[in-house]
Amino acid sequence: MNPKSMNRKLLFTLALLFLFTLDTLAQQELGNFNQERLQINKVGMMVLGGWALANFGTNGVLLSNPSSNEQGHFYRMNIFWNVVNLGLAIPGLRHSLITDPSTLNLAETVGEYHQMGKVLLMNAGLDVAYITGGFLMKEMAKNREGKRGILRGYGRSLILQGGFLLAFDIILYSVLQSKSNQLTDILNHVQLSPNSVGLVWRF
């Protein structure tokens, strides 16, 4: 084999090794981003689930001997409300625990990231509606003596639960958005290869 042929093979081998190394680095960067994103979601779902369980325990005990009819409705609505919260927290937590961050490709990563942001913003809007509804129910109670207890109890619960969820959604959205620069950096340096589903480094 002549020297020129050997040099060409050597350069070709080095080029393949270089591209493989860049692809590995890109995959690691994407995997690290997904790991951090899933961790944020896991912590968020644990907080939501913890809030629900705390409400079950506290309001369940207080409901056994309410100080008034209004308080009874307040405790009862808090329990009902957190059945939904727990129903959301469990599958969300499960998804974060069982998902392998290294298996998510670029399209799936971007899709899940933006989808979560949209859901949190939509939920924040609903939270404002819940709080507003709670204040309206308390106002309606002034003119409906026969339903004053239930309206005031439910209204207070809506304000409390809606207020917590509003703070929860805003904080979780803010933490999620703090990762946007990291994702943008990945998108600026990584693209889908036109001939494969792998990732290649952009110069």
Side-chain angles (χ1 to χ4, degrees):
M1 184 177 296
N2 61 63
K4 288 185 178 180
S5 177
M6 291 181 63
N7 287 337
R8 282 197 295 269
K9 287 188 175 182
L10 178 61
L11 289 173
F12 179 73
T13 301
L14 290 174
L16 287 178
L17 289 173
F18 179 69
L19 291 175
F20 176 78
T21 301
L22 290 178
D23 182 69
T24 301
L25 291 173
Q27 292 287 358
Q28 288 177 346
E29 188 175 355
L30 193 61
N32 290 338
F33 174 82
N34 280 312
Q35 185 174 13
E36 293 173 9
R37 179 180 60 81
L38 289 169
Q39 179 66 20
I40 291 171
N41 187 68
K42 182 177 75 172
V43 172
M45 294 304 100
M46 289 176 67
V47 170
L48 184 61
W51 171 261
L53 292 175
N55 270 270
F56 289 151
T58 303
N59 290 283
V61 170
L62 295 173
L63 185 60
S64 63
N65 187 30
S67 59
S68 66
N69 184 43
E70 176 186 326
Q71 286 296 104
H73 289 300
F74 173 70
Y75 301 144
R76 194 172 293 109
M77 176 56 83
N78 286 336
I79 294 172
F80 291 158
W81 190 278
N82 282 282
V83 170
V84 177
N85 286 341
L86 191 62
L88 295 173
I90 290 175
L93 180 60
R94 180 178 180 276
H95 173 74
S96 298
L97 291 173
I98 68 173
T99 301
D100 183 352
S102 64
T103 63
L104 298 173
N105 61 34
L106 185 61
E108 291 170 332
T109 299
V110 174
E112 286 197 11
Y113 176 83
H114 288 298
Q115 180 64 26
M116 185 176 178
K118 289 178 182 178
V119 168
L120 290 172
L121 286 178
M122 182 181 69
N123 286 347
L126 291 173
D127 299 335
V128 173
Y130 300 146
I131 296 170
T132 303
F135 280 109
L136 288 174
M137 292 178 77
K138 289 184 67 177
E139 189 65 25
M140 289 168 58
K142 295 178 180 179
N143 301 317
R144 300 189 181 184
E145 186 173 350
K147 295 184 177 180
R148 184 168 297 170
I150 189 171
L151 287 172
R152 285 184 58 84
Y154 282 7
R156 288 171 53 206
S157 178
L158 282 173
I159 295 170
L160 172 65
Q161 301 298 332
F164 166 79
L165 289 176
L166 180 60
F168 171 82
D169 289 328
I170 290 175
I171 292 172
L172 192 57
Y173 179 80
S174 299
V175 174
L176 183 68
Q177 285 300 108
S178 70
K179 310 300 296 179
S180 63
N181 289 338
Q182 185 179 350
L183 181 59
T184 300
D185 186 62
I186 293 174
L187 292 173
N188 286 336
H189 293 87
V190 179
Q191 67 179 7
L192 289 175
S193 172
N195 298 317
S196 69
V197 296
L199 298 172
V200 294
W201 198 263
R202 296 175 58 191
F203 293 95

